[in-house]
Amino acid sequence: MALVLNVVRADRRKITNLVLTRAFNRIYNKECPFTTAGVNRFLPLLCRNVHSCTAVKSLYSTDPFSRRDFHSSHHLCDIVPFTLSDIGEGITEVSVKEWFVKVGDKVAQFDNICEVQSDKASVTITSRYDGVISKLYYAVDDTAKVGLPLVDIEVEGESSVSSSNVAEKTPSYDDGDNRENQVYHSSEKALATPAVRRIAGENKVDLSSVKGTGKGGRVMKEDILAYIAGNSTSKKSIPSARPPIITAPMIPSTASGDDRIVPITGYTKTMVKTMTAANSVPHFVYSDELDVGPLIQLRKQMKPAVEKHDIKLTYMPFFLKAISLALYHFPILNASVNSECTEVIYKSRHNIGFAMDTSNGLVVPNIKDVQSLRLLDIASETNRLIEAGKTGTLLPKDVTGGTFSLSNIGSIGGTYMKPVLLIPEVAIGALGKIQRLPRYGKSGAIEESHIMCVSWAADHRVIDGATVARFSNMFKELIENPIELVIH
């Protein structure tokens, strides 16, 4: 009876099937005397961990026909639904972009499960359990809801899952299956980041054949690029048996098939929301032109020295630094208003974003605390965000928290642009391309100048035209005398 009382008093969450089995069998075999009244007294407590009181009562019955042996099956593992947790910023759904596991794969804690794309950024989901993948709830490009299961994981218990069981759950591939899928699945065993896996998938490279130089044998970006470059060189060294066939470019037909319906997802979905919100805010545009000749000369002088630090120096860091210095004197442009437009929130941090054209659509990552960064620090962070945007590995923190934005449409083409506010920000700028145009110099003679047009859009509810004009004049002064940007 002491054994039964100890079992009852124990924490129910820590009582295993094995302990209950031994306790009930000892009652049943009369190894510890226990009256029927005693059974009825403690039965409700004991039965919280079994199916029914009736089943337990039958264990102690003296009737040989109603008495049944109590036993526990050999428990291998529990099925645990792995839910998609809240990733912040009010995101309620994501698009599954890539699976790093398949049914039957063993995973450990912090192993990559999949990569999802929200309307703000890409996020890699990692496992919280050790176990075996038993079910995938979504296919690639499906929409997953926050709070609902992504996968089912058989969490390993005292007995490990036998290799035969795993083999039964692992899908087999016939000779006629897609070879790209086989390469992808064999690459899952190698340690690599999602960006490296994407490069491997695009070039049909088996990551297990690439020697990793990172910690623990992790395949780094440099490893996969060197491997691809080596294969390309070897292929080029083999002479072609036939001359190349030159084909005429394909001209798309105006009636080549049925219309397609494509759902709006990812960054495009974000653009729908922000542009719809901007349409409800009255804003105006102010434009001017700058002589960027001195900036071109300064960048040309700095570029060799900066490249020694493995930093690519573009014009963007100069523009961002100039905006930050001007915002210091005109803080109303680095602010936001509440939803009722009754309060202005002045931002202490200059988190300046720049629009980026990516394969997934328009995205605006921002550099945090530009007011505290040197020009080279801004250049380094700009390079990081551009690379992350190209590979689709921008983090949520990279695209949230912006206070001012800049669009550099001139890098693609175009002289003028009317920028649209990125709500809740109250101002935004747009830069055109640099043109070589005739202008009157200081001596009065016509000279060749490098001219760039800039446009500013501002929320006219809280900002007037004169403020934007003065802000633009200060920005122009800094760009046309760029040495000030290096000093600060």
Side-chain angles (χ1 to χ4, degrees), residues 82-83 100 108-114 123-129 150 153:
F82 180 85
T83 58
F100 301 134
Q109 292 185 47
F110 308 113
D111 281 357
N112 292 341
I113 296 292
C114 64
V123 179
T124 300
I125 306 298
T126 58
S127 175
R128 296 193 294 271
Y129 309 102
L150 275 175
I153 300 179

Side-chain angles (χ1 to χ4, degrees), residues 383-401:
N383 293 342
R384 183 189 71 83
L385 293 174
I386 291 175
E387 183 63 25
K390 290 178 180 178
T391 57
T393 56
L394 286 169
L395 302 175
K397 66 178 182 179
D398 294 330
V399 293
T400 55

Side-chain angles (χ1 to χ4, degrees), residues 125-195:
I125 306 298
T126 58
S127 175
R128 296 193 294 271
Y129 309 102
D130 297 336
V132 179
I133 301 295
S134 62
K135 180 179 180 180
L136 304 181
Y137 281 84
Y138 302 98
V140 173
D141 292 331
D142 282 355
T143 299
K145 299 288 186 180
V146 171
L148 296 181
L150 275 175
V151 298
D152 281 347
I153 300 179
E154 293 183 359
V155 180
E156 297 176 346
E158 294 180 359
S159 300
S160 61
V161 179
S162 65
S163 59
S164 60
N165 289 342
V166 176
E168 290 176 2
K169 295 177 180 290
T170 305
S172 60
Y173 296 91
D174 298 331
D175 293 338
D177 284 344
N178 190 317
R179 193 166 186 84
E180 273 190 38
N181 291 336
Q182 295 182 17
V183 171
Y184 169 79
H185 290 303
S186 64
S187 297
E188 290 176 342
K189 303 304 179 184
L191 291 174
T193 62

